[in-house]
Amino acid sequence: MNSQTNGIPEGMNSKGKLEGMHSNGKSAPLTTEATKQISLEVELISGNATPEGTANYRDRFPDFISSFRELGSTGLTCSAIGFGGYRVDARVPLHRAALALAIRKGVNIIDTSANYADGNSERLVGEVLRGMIETGATKREEIIVVTKGGYLQGENFERARIRLESEDADLSAGSELAELTRYSGTLWHSIHPDFLKDQITRSLERLQLTTIDVFLLHNPEYYIQWAIKDGVAEEDARAEYERRIHNAFAYLETEVALGRIQFYGISSNTFPRPEESIDRTSLERSLQSAERIAKEQKLDRHHFAVIQLPLNIYEHGGVTELNQTRATRSVIAFAREKGIGVLINRPLNAIVQNRIVRLADFPEREFPPAEDIQDLVHDLALQEEEFKNGILKDIAISPQSYEAVKQLLSLGKSLDDRWQHIGSLEEWKDISTTVLAPRIQYCFDLLRPISKNEPKVFAFLTEYADSADVLIEHINNYFSTQA
């Protein structure tokens, strides 16, 4: 679906670059904001994954029946391989096709998160599922949708920052804002019940669903890692970490009662850590917390049912590290014993000594010289300064918008002499998609209406978008080849 934009850059194209005016006159894809508005207008897909529906899906693939598994004690049957949404984006047609193909070929569990592609991963899942359900290619009850909440990046981060800086910000003890984990300058974290309520609402809208099958707390260990770094005593940090998980679980049980989620759990990279590790997420302690909550709320059963952790040939602690029940069982053995479903992430990547090791080949790309990239960065920074010191001062724009453009139109300046210090392809993609692109997008949204009557602004935006395209492609290729 396209909207008319008079050729002014709208957002990011299918290669993850800023869109400019195309020679064929076609406009760019819908912006994130426009896509979000559309998702709010459509009727949500009712229902949820069911034991009968997922079993029927399995039976349609007789060649693979033996590979399907029960997802812990949920009663749901899932394919051995799931579709991971970490890098997929609703604005990339190839990603849409990949998910549709996976569902047609026997994959019925989809894993995504609110922060993947700043919400566009969830949007892709919702849009593809809607299309396939409406055409009869699949049924809602056949597909298990897993999503997560916890990260404040991109849109989430900006909303929280504005709220935190407002005059009426609630910073009382125990409030959502008071319990923010400010992990780094542009990455915060939270599993506070008020935040989870908001995140589930937004995830349901993006997914176009009435019910999320499995909702996971996304890397809650960020709190304890931040707390130790911030000087909190280990014993106090540990106690607070477990209190926050307990409160999150208690809230998620109310979401189960409302029917907005079926089951909940935790996705944590520290499940496999040795028992003495201060930032280890303990499955045993988490299960005990869920059991206490079931008694407190007088439930027939708790709904803590799924965990997720890394497992590959380098990171094998999930099966080899005895860190449960007084160091007698691994986390996966304990999960199997207690009927907890286990999802594996990083099967084809490994983190070894804080660096990523690829366990699968990918196409090589041209390796652009660093000097060429630095020249492109410098040229883009000059364009920004010339615009802000010239054209911007002469156009009719509100003082607030003027200051926003002056501050945020800084892609070249932000990268100048800094881009080479980015540690990996993943870090570059996180920075470019959750920090840099939203800032530029915001500036374009402010300047686009003005450009209709200001040829100089139109010319700048078009030239700037072309320059940014080239720069981003070069940096993408640089880090892809380096990886």
Side-chain angles (χ1 to χ4, degrees), residues 336-347:
R336 182 183 296 115
E337 179 183 309
K338 298 298 182 179
I340 303 293
V342 179
L343 303 177
I344 298 304
N345 57 17
R346 295 210 294 259

Side-chain angles (χ1 to χ4, degrees), residues 2-3 22 25-26 73 98 115 131 133 153 192 215 231 267 336 338 358-360 394 458 462:
N2 288 323
S3 60
H22 297 286
K26 292 182 179 179
S73 58
N115 72 309
I133 289 169
Q153 294 174 289
H192 189 280
F215 183 84
S267 174
R336 182 183 296 115
K338 298 298 182 179
R358 297 286 186 185
L359 304 176
D394 298 329
F458 182 94
T462 305

Side-chain angles (χ1 to χ4, degrees), residues 381-394 402 406 409:
L382 285 178
Q383 287 184 44
E384 293 163 353
E385 289 306 307
E386 288 175 1
F387 176 77
K388 288 186 279 190
N389 293 329
I391 298 172
L392 181 60
K393 293 182 177 180
D394 298 329
Y402 174 84
K406 189 174 179 181
L409 191 70

Side-chain angles (χ1 to χ4, degrees), residues 283-314:
L283 175 55
E284 186 178 8
R285 296 281 293 171
S286 299
L287 180 58
Q288 290 169 357
S289 190
E291 291 170 344
R292 288 198 308 275
I293 289 166
K295 291 180 180 179
E296 292 165 2
Q297 297 186 8
K298 298 180 180 179
L299 304 174
D300 293 335
R301 57 167 293 189
H302 64 78
H303 296 84
F304 173 53
V306 177
I307 62 171
Q308 186 177 68
L309 56 107
L311 186 67
N312 51 64
I313 60 175
Y314 285 99

Side-chain angles (χ1 to χ4, degrees), residues 39 49 72 84 91 103 116 187 208 248 278 301 307 310 317 319 328 382 410 439 449 451 454-456 463-465 479:
S39 71
R91 296 164 294 190
I103 293 172
Y116 293 169
L187 192 165
Q208 303 183 37
I278 184 62
R301 57 167 293 189
I307 62 171
V319 293
T328 61
L382 285 178
S410 57
R439 291 178 180 178
S451 71
E454 293 283 353
K456 289 183 179 180
E463 181 182 357
Y464 184 82
F479 285 110

